[in-house]
Each structure stands twice: as C-alpha cells, then as structure tokens.
C-alpha cells in the first residue's frame, strides 16, 4: 500500500475505534467537565489575544479552513478577539499559500478574504486591540445582537460576492438564540463548507453546571442544532471530527453543507 494511504487508513481506524472505547470516551468527557470547572479554557492566546477555546478546537478550525478554503468567515461572539484573529490569520495563510503556488508577490494588508465578527457588546479595550492587530485588515466588526434584523441584514450584505462561506456560532448559548442564529446565518454557508456551533457540550454536563448562565441541559446549542437539522437536510453532522477530538466544546456541532 502507498505509505500515505496506509497512514490515512491507520488514522481512520484509530479514530473509529475511539467511539467504541467507552472508558476512553468517558475519561475524555470527565476531563472536559473538570477542566471547564477549573476555567482551563481561559488559559490560551492566539497571536497575543485571549482565545476562549480548547486547543483541540483551535486545531479543528485550522483543519477545516485548510480543507474548505473559505474566503469569508462569519463569527458570532467576539469577547477578547482571539477567535476572529485566529480566523483572520488562517485566511492570511491561505493568501500566502495561493501567492506561493502562483509565484506572485502580494500586499499582506490587501486581501479578498475577510472575517465578519458580531457581538452585542464589543468592549472599548477589546475593539482597540483588535483594530490595532496586524490581522485587522481582514476583520470587520459589527456591534449588536446577532439575531437583530438590522445586524443580520448587515451581515448578509457583507457576504455578497463571496464564493466560499463558513459560519461559526459562539455567542449566547440558549436554544432559542442559537436556533435563531442558525436560521439567520446557516443559509449563507456555501456547499462543501461548515457551520460550526460551539458549546453544544452544555447538553452533556450535569444540570445547573453553569449556575450563573441562562443555558442549561435541554436549553442549549445542541438542542438547537438538533431542531435545526430536523428541518434542514442540506446539513449533516461530521461525526469524524468529534471522534478524533474527543475533548471538544462542540460535539455534534460541526455541520457540513452538502
């Protein structure tokens, strides 16, 4: 067998085996719950900005962006800006690789690729840091509720003309809010690209785990995803991503558009 094909087959077999390994999956779930309780997810930066994500999910985003090569990424939820800086840097990587393959020189501040970030409250110090970041030329910030009509209209207008669109939902994590975001933004995802819904794991932790938050078991992103998928067969869960990450905040949240 070709060595590359052999490596790929061995990897796929390992990933498949994880799903049947109850001890491994249970340990992964237990670790996620304990690490979330200890705020482990707050420990990391991306290019100098705090990024409130597990390293596994950061890796997953890199793989998805490289595989699908979007020219627009729409993100709800900005916080400190680490996630949109991550997305912008991955788009910059695509720009550089395109230039290398074509043998051309590019202006690093000029790109047809863009990240649109939406948040109901972009704090002044975070906005300043994002706007002064080297990746800022690829970032557009929109302040307001992600499900407000005027904001949705702004995003849809910003998305015009883009051929490959990815969406990441990571703002308010209640069922109704996420379902409204899915209805608003998932239709913008282009064929072969992803809508990634974060924090679906809330359904899998004990009730009232997040004592100071409005989401809970039965009222969270995973319940919204399941409700959306019931009426939108053009999307399906890529379970292989869950299977290889094991520790992720987005189980059943990597939605591929056919």
């Amino acid at each position: 067998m070709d060595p590359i094909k052999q490596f790929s087959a061995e990897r796929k077999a390992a990933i498949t085996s994880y799903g049947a390994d109850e001890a491994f999956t249970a340990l992964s779930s237990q670790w996620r719950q304990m690490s979330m309780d200890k705020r482990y997810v707050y420990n990391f930066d991306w290019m100098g900005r705090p990024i409130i994500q597990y390293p596994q999910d950061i890796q997953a985003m890199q793989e998805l962006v490289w595989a699908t090569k979007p020219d627009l990424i729409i993100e709800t939820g900005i916080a400190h800006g680490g996630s949109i800086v991550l997305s912008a840097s991955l788009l910059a990587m695509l720009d550089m690789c395109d230039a290398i393959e074509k043998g051309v020189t590019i202006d690093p501040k000029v790109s047809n690729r863009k990240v649109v970030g939406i948040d109901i409250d972009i704090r002044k110090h975070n906005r300043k840091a994002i706007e002064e970041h080297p990746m800022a030329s690829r970032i557009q910030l929109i302040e307001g509720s992600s499900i407000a009509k005027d904001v949705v209209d702004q995003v849809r207008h910003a998305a015009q003309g883009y051929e490959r669109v990815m969406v990441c939902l990571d703002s308010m994590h209640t069922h109704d809010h996420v379902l409204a975001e899915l209805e608003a933004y998932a239709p913008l995802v282009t064929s072969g690209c992803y809508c990634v819904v974060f924090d679906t794991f809330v359904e899998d932790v004990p009730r009232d785990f997040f004592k100071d938050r409005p989401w809970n078991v039965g009222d969270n992103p995973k319940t919204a995803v399941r409700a959306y998928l019931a009426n939108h067969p053009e999307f399906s869960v890529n379970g292989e991503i869950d299977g290889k990450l094991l520790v992720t905040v987005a189980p059943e949240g990597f939605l591929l558009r056919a």
Side-chain angles (χ1 to χ4, degrees):
M1 182 183 290
D2 176 88
I4 296 176
K5 290 183 179 178
Q6 182 176 353
F7 179 82
S8 179
E10 290 172 352
R11 172 193 277 175
K12 189 168 185 177
I15 292 170
T16 300
S17 74
Y18 299 157
D21 190 331
E22 294 182 3
F24 193 18
T25 55
L27 183 62
S28 299
S29 179
Q30 181 183 0
W31 188 90
R32 180 183 59 199
Q33 182 174 321
M34 182 175 290
S35 66
M36 192 61 66
D37 186 54
K38 294 181 179 296
R39 296 174 63 85
Y40 170 89
V41 75
Y42 288 83
N43 292 344
F44 307 101
D45 290 347
W46 187 267
M47 296 183 71
R49 296 307 302 155
I51 182 169
I52 307 172
Q53 289 188 17
Y54 280 119
Q56 290 90 334
D57 289 321
I58 295 171
Q59 174 65 23
M61 288 298 298
Q62 180 275 138
E63 291 190 18
L64 292 184
V65 169
W66 180 253
T68 62
K69 294 180 170 54
D71 49 9
L72 175 66
I73 301 177
I74 298 166
E75 298 195 19
T76 65
I78 292 174
H80 299 278
S83 290
I84 56 172
V85 169
L86 168 65
S87 292
S89 70
L90 295 176
L91 296 185
M93 175 188 69
L94 294 181
D95 286 339
M96 177 173 286
C97 289
D98 286 348
I100 291 170
E101 290 175 355
K102 294 175 182 177
V104 299
T105 301
I106 60 172
D107 181 344
K109 291 186 177 180
V110 177
S111 176
N112 291 324
R113 293 184 167 102
K114 182 170 66 176
V115 183
V116 175
I118 308 110
D119 201 300
I120 196 168
D121 178 22
I122 305 175
R123 296 181 180 179
K124 186 176 180 179
H125 63 283
N126 288 330
R127 178 185 287 275
K128 182 175 186 291
I130 295 166
E131 292 178 345
E132 292 178 352
H133 197 277
M135 291 293 112
S137 62
R138 288 171 172 79
I139 296 172
Q140 177 182 348
L141 301 176
I142 297 176
E143 186 165 11
S145 170
S146 59
I147 61 174
K149 184 181 183 305
D150 63 319
V151 171
V152 174
D153 288 345
Q154 287 182 67
V155 176
R156 288 177 177 169
H157 182 265
Q160 291 179 3
Y162 287 92
E163 296 181 356
R164 297 192 62 75
V165 180
M166 179 180 195
V167 168
C168 302
L169 304 179
D170 193 12
S171 60
M172 172 70 75
H173 302 316
T174 60
H175 175 101
D176 289 346
H177 186 90
V178 176
L179 185 57
E181 285 188 329
L182 283 163
E183 296 287 358
Y185 300 117
L188 299 177
V189 176
T190 49
S191 177
C193 289
Y194 281 83
C195 178
V196 181
V197 183
F198 288 94
D199 291 295
T200 51
F201 83 104
V202 175
E203 181 69 5
D204 306 321
V205 297
R207 178 169 293 279
D208 300 325
F209 182 79
F210 297 97
K211 295 180 174 59
D212 58 345
R213 295 291 188 268
W215 46 85
N216 211 327
V217 175
D219 180 7
N220 57 71
K222 184 179 282 189
T223 61
V225 165
R226 290 172 175 173
Y228 185 79
L229 292 180
N231 298 307
H232 292 274
E234 69 273 22
F235 283 95
S236 61
V237 174
N238 184 340
E240 185 174 337
I241 300 175
D242 296 353
K244 71 178 179 180
L245 294 180
L246 288 177
V247 177
T248 173
V249 300
E252 296 184 34
F254 296 94
L255 311 182
L256 174 64
R257 184 161 195 170

